[in-house]
């Protein structure tokens, strides 16, 4: 079991009753249990938290990641990768959040949270995301306060102008509602200074996503000599959160590998899942974690960056750990050894020798994914007919 919050990296038993963890210890008597899952040789971790995903899917053409065709239903892409919580990164704004909640959040088995876009219309694409007059700090903060359990922060993305207003208005909303902001700084033309962003505009706890992007429209964190910029290290020390947000265009080995060699690791690992990344180099949360495992982070670090660290970043300290009394969101992984290939968003490949595979996912105490049937009785076991008749 790897549970970074509780400093556990050891062989442990976990007991779950209803939706809660009721015991974690070296030896729990299996006779006390109605069902036992043997995870010998595997890794048991808290359910993963992906803080950059796009799940406000809909059928409106030209609505991009806000009720449009490019966002994805959460349950099809989460449990298979051990993810039990996603944060939709700015699909909805204060004007469209109710539709997102009614049509997606209320029906998903995955826990779906939201960074509310500073743009009232959300991530509708095209001119909608360039409309400064639709970036209202007060209304955005009010919507956050109304849905405190679900909305965990404010998102800025896709703005192509040269002004700081979108960032500053998001931070103003974040101050009113006491939540962090997540910045996608991908498109300003000409590019704005990321040093100025970290030191003059963001607060400790605010999130810089797409950390390892290499785009003409944004300054990279690793310079042309392959050195991590010293002010980036300083920014992280001062509390700026560096998030992966892999996506279809925002993760390059030419940034990540030199950054890790220079002693810099991301605070949080996330997917930026949408139709443009799901079948490209990104694939899923585990594939992104496996990349970092192969380029210098250890297993404890990639698990921490996908469980307890993101839980703290979004101020959801009740999630991301397996403590007695915690919600029973648990994942079980195998660490495969062999030859594996990985692709970045520049289209370049890298060879690695390890890969994480999700074996089983538990959400709210229920098995929601089981790759190899480790939670099910054998079909020819004496009691198989009665057991199998009641899938949980
Ligand atoms: Zn995104």
């Amino acid at each position: 079991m790897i549970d970074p919050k509780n400093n556990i990296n050891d062989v442990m038993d976990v007991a779950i009753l209803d939706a809660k963890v009721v015991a974690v210890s070296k030896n729990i008597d299996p006779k006390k249990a109605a069902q036992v899952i043997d995870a010998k040789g595997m890794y048991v971790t808290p359910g993963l938290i992906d803080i950059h995903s796009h799940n406000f899917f809909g059928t409106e053409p030209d609505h991009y990641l806000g009720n449009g065709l490019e966002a994805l239903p959460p349950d099809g892409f989460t449990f298979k990768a051990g993810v039990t919580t996603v944060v939709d990164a700015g699909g909805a704004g204060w004007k469209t959040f109710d539709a997102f909640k009614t049509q997606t959040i209320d029906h998903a088995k995955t826990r779906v949270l939201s960074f509310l876009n500073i743009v009232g219309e959300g991530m509708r694409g095209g001119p909608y995301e360039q409309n400064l007059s639709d970036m209202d700090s007060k209304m955005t903060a009010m919507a956050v306060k109304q849905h405190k359990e679900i909305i965990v922060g404010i998102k800025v993305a896709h703005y192509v102008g040269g002004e700081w207003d979108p960032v500053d208005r998001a931070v103003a909303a974040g101050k009113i509602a006491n939540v962090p902001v997540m910045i996608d700084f991908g498109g300003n033309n000409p590019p704005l200074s990321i040093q100025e962003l970290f030191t003059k505009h963001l607060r400790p706890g605010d999130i810089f996503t797409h950390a390892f992007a290499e785009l003409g429209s944004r300054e990279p964190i690793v310079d042309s000599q392959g050195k991590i910029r010293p002010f980036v290290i300083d920014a992280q020390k001062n509390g700026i959160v560096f998030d992966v947000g892999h996506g279809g265009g925002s993760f390059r080995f030419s940034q990540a590998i030199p950054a890790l060699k220079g002693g810099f690791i991301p605070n949080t690992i996330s997917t930026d899942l949408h139709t443009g990344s799901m079948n490209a180099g990104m694939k899923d949360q585990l594939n992104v974690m496996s990349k970092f495992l192969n380029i210098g982070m250890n297993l404890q670090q990639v698990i921490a960056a996908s469980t307890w660290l993101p839980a703290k970043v979004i101020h959801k300290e009740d999630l991301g750990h397996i403590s007695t009394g915690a919600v029973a969101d648990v994942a079980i992984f195998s660490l495969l050894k062999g030859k594996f290939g990985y692709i970045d968003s520049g289209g370049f490949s890298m060879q690695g020798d390890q890969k994480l595979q999700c074996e089983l996912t538990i959400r709210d105490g229920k098995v929601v994914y089981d790759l190899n049937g480790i939670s099910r009785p054998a079909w020819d076991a004496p009691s198989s007919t009665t057991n199998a008749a009641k899938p949980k």
Side-chain angles (χ1 to χ4, degrees):
M1 176 170 165
I2 298 177
D3 181 4
K5 187 211 167 182
N6 293 309
N7 236 336
I8 295 174
N9 179 18
D10 206 345
V11 178
M12 298 296 264
D13 289 341
V14 181
I16 292 170
L17 182 65
D18 300 325
K20 296 267 193 253
V21 174
V22 290
V24 180
S25 96
K26 277 267 173 199
N27 276 302
I28 298 173
D29 184 357
K31 290 197 199 79
K32 289 185 182 168
Q35 184 187 7
V36 176
I37 298 172
D38 184 0
K40 191 178 254 179
M42 302 173 197
Y43 291 93
V44 177
T45 79
L48 305 182
I49 302 172
D50 176 3
I51 61 164
H52 188 154
S53 183
H54 291 284
N55 300 105
F56 186 10
F57 69 103
T59 55
E60 300 286 338
D62 302 322
H63 269 240
Y64 193 40
L65 297 166
N67 204 17
L69 306 173
E70 282 82 4
L72 292 163
D75 297 346
F77 298 84
T78 47
F79 299 145
K80 283 168 186 275
V83 175
T84 49
T85 300
V86 292
V87 188
D88 178 88
W94 71 268
K95 295 177 182 171
T96 60
F97 179 77
D98 287 345
F100 180 36
K101 183 172 182 300
T102 325
Q103 75 192 39
T104 303
I105 297 175
D106 291 349
H107 304 286
K109 286 190 178 167
T110 308
R111 180 184 295 98
V112 179
L113 306 173
S114 162
F115 283 110
L116 201 64
N117 206 308
I118 188 62
V119 179
E121 286 284 345
M123 224 168 244
R124 200 171 158 176
Y128 289 98
E129 293 185 70
Q130 308 307 319
N131 185 1
L132 283 174
S133 66
D134 194 25
M135 300 184 195
D136 188 324
S137 305
K138 186 179 148 200
M139 295 307 289
T140 304
M142 281 179 76
V144 176
K145 286 182 174 174
Q146 267 170 11
H147 300 279
K148 258 193 165 322
E149 285 305 303
I150 304 173
I151 304 177
V152 296
I154 321 278
K155 179 82 188 287
V156 173
H158 306 157
Y159 188 66
V160 298
E163 301 92 339
W164 285 99
D165 300 61
V167 170
D168 293 341
R169 289 186 204 174
V171 171
K175 281 180 184 163
I176 302 170
N178 191 28
V179 292
V181 302
M182 175 185 268
I183 307 289
D184 165 353
F185 216 48
N188 302 86
N189 186 16
L192 294 172
S193 157
I194 56 171
Q195 184 168 16
E196 196 179 332
L197 175 71
F198 300 152
T199 54
K200 298 212 170 93
H201 295 270
L202 299 185
R203 305 160 294 169
D206 287 337
I207 306 149
F208 182 69
T209 192
H210 305 314
F212 302 103
E214 199 172 279
L215 303 158
S217 52
R218 199 204 79 197
E219 295 177 344
I221 62 168
V222 167
D223 68 18
S224 55
Q225 314 301 310
K227 291 269 181 302
I228 182 86
R229 300 189 146 124
F231 72 78
V232 172
I233 305 264
D234 291 344
Q236 192 180 42
K237 277 190 194 134
N238 292 332
I240 301 295
V241 174
F242 287 82
D243 174 56
V244 174
H246 188 304
S250 304
F251 175 87
R252 296 286 281 263
F253 290 126
S254 55
Q255 286 287 307
I257 291 173
L260 266 67
K261 281 209 175 99
F264 175 89
I265 64 168
N267 299 78
T268 54
I269 296 177
S270 66
T271 60
D272 191 12
L273 174 74
H274 49 71
T275 56
S277 64
M278 64 180 183
N279 292 323
M282 191 286 288
K283 297 181 177 69
D284 62 24
Q285 176 79 13
L286 274 192
N287 193 56
V288 181
M289 290 161 69
S290 296
K291 289 179 184 180
F292 283 95
L293 208 48
N294 280 288
I295 65 175
M297 281 172 78
N298 65 37
L299 189 58
Q300 286 75 21
Q301 287 173 322
V302 300
I303 299 295
S306 308
T307 55
W308 178 234
L309 296 178
K312 282 198 291 184
V313 166
I314 59 172
H315 304 176
K316 285 276 183 192
E317 277 92 352
D318 53 328
L319 303 177
H321 52 90
I322 308 181
S323 314
T324 302
V327 61
D329 288 0
V330 176
I332 302 180
F333 302 110
S334 292
L335 183 57
L336 308 179
K337 304 279 183 178
K339 284 176 77 174
F340 306 101
Y342 297 94
I343 305 169
D344 74 4
S345 44
F348 300 104
S349 69
M350 184 208 65
Q351 299 305 306
D353 58 10
Q354 356 179 28
K355 192 179 192 68
L356 285 163
Q357 170 174 283
C358 179
E359 296 289 345
L360 183 125
T361 306
I362 294 172
R363 163 82 171 103
D364 257 349
K366 293 194 181 66
V367 174
V368 287
Y369 178 75
D370 181 356
L371 182 66
N372 288 303
I374 57 172
S375 71
R376 307 303 306 157
W379 70 274
D380 54 354
S383 60
S384 65
T385 356
T386 42
N387 281 346
K390 294 186 282 182
K392 288 185 190 141

